[in-house]
Amino acid sequence: MRIERLQEPGRKGGRWTVFFEGGQRLRLLPSVIGDFGLRPGLELPAEELPRLKEAAAAASAKERAVRIISASNVTQKELRRRLVQKGESEENAEAAVSWLSSLDLLDDLETAKQLVRSAGRKGYGRARARQILYQKGVDKSLWDEALEELPEPDGAIDRFLASRFRGEAPDRPEVKRAADALMRRGHRWEDIRTALRRYTDTLEEEEC
C-alpha cells in the first residue's frame, strides 16, 4: 500500500491523517507516524497494516489515559474502566495503566489520600470518605492509611452548624434537619450530638 499524502492536524496535539492509494485513510498520533517512518510515497507492505493499526490503538489508549489522569484523581481500576467505556480494548487499557504505573504517574495510595483530603476540605465525615474510596475503586487494603489524612470532625461540624443556625437558637425540627444533613455528609451521631451541645453552650455563654 502506497501512502499518497499526510495531512497535518487542525489543532495542536491532534492526529495526522494518512491517505493511502485506493481511498483508505488512517488517523494517527504523531508518535505513531514517527515510529513507523510514514511519509508520502512510502510503500507499506500489506502485512504491516495490521501492526500499524495495533500500534495506533495502543497509542490512543495511552493518550486518553494521560488526559484522564490529568483531569482527575483516578485509581488503576477506575482508569481501566473509563478507558474501556471510551472504546479502548481491555488489552490496550491494561497496557496503558501499566505504562503509567511504571512511570510513577499512577499511584493508588496517593490517589486515595488525595481523595480523602478533598473530602475533608468539603467538610465530609469518615463514612462519606469511605464511600468515595469505594466508588473510586480504591482497594480496601489502602483505606486505613488513606483515612489518616482526614482531620478530626469537630471543626467541620462546628462550621456547618454555625453556618446553618447563624447564631440563633434552633427549634427541634431545625436541629433534626441539621443533624440529618450532617449524617448524610458522613459524620457520626455521637460527634454531631457533642457539637450541638457545644453550640448551645456557646449561645448560653454569649447571653451571660
Side-chain angles (χ1 to χ4, degrees):
M1 298 181 66
R2 184 173 181 277
I3 297 176
E4 288 189 335
R5 63 188 178 92
L6 282 76
Q7 181 176 302
E8 294 187 21
R11 59 179 177 81
K12 185 177 180 180
R15 302 183 184 217
W16 287 66
T17 303
V18 181
F19 294 86
F20 295 90
E21 284 183 342
Q24 186 172 353
R25 67 181 67 177
L26 288 176
R27 295 184 69 241
L28 304 173
L29 289 167
S31 59
V32 179
I33 300 285
D35 288 345
F36 280 79
L38 303 183
R39 64 186 186 279
L42 177 70
E43 286 285 350
L44 188 72
E47 60 271 18
E48 276 288 276
L49 188 58
R51 198 166 72 87
L52 176 61
K53 290 180 177 179
E54 289 175 5
S60 171
K62 288 181 178 179
E63 181 202 35
R64 180 166 275 146
V66 169
R67 288 204 308 269
I68 290 173
I69 68 169
S70 298
S72 60
N73 295 321
V74 294
T75 60
Q76 295 183 24
K77 180 179 179 179
E78 186 182 13
L79 181 57
R80 287 190 201 92
R81 179 183 62 79
R82 289 176 62 174
L83 286 171
V84 173
Q85 253 183 358
K86 293 290 186 179
E88 307 295 348
S89 70
E90 292 187 5
E91 181 181 2
N92 285 334
E94 179 62 40
V97 169
S98 297
W99 172 65
L100 288 174
S101 297
S102 71
L103 297 175
D104 294 326
L105 296 175
L106 197 58
D107 183 329
D108 276 9
L109 178 57
E110 182 55 35
T111 295
K113 289 181 176 181
Q114 291 176 7
L115 291 169
V116 171
R117 288 194 289 267
S118 176
R121 288 192 295 271
K122 293 175 182 177
Y124 293 157
R126 192 176 184 87
R128 184 66 179 275
R130 287 168 63 90
Q131 181 184 33
I132 291 170
L133 294 177
Y134 174 78
Q135 292 172 340
K136 291 292 186 177
V138 176
D139 191 282
K140 287 189 176 181
S141 65
L142 305 177
W143 286 18
D144 287 344
E145 187 172 351
L147 287 167
E148 292 176 4
E149 301 291 314
L150 197 66
E152 291 299 316
D154 298 1
I157 297 175
D158 287 346
R159 287 190 295 273
F160 180 89
L161 294 178
S163 174
R164 183 95 176 202
F165 298 149
R166 300 180 181 277
E168 301 293 334
D171 57 20
R172 288 182 64 85
E174 180 58 25
V175 168
K176 184 179 185 307
R177 285 193 291 270
D180 288 345
L182 284 165
M183 292 284 282
R184 289 193 296 271
R185 294 168 76 84
H187 293 287
R188 301 186 310 160
W189 165 241
E190 292 81 359
D191 295 325
I192 298 169
R193 180 175 55 191
T194 300
L196 286 168
R197 288 173 180 164
R198 281 198 303 272
Y199 183 83
T200 302
D201 291 343
T202 300
L203 288 181
E204 291 175 353
E205 291 172 1
E206 291 176 351
E207 291 174 356
C208 295

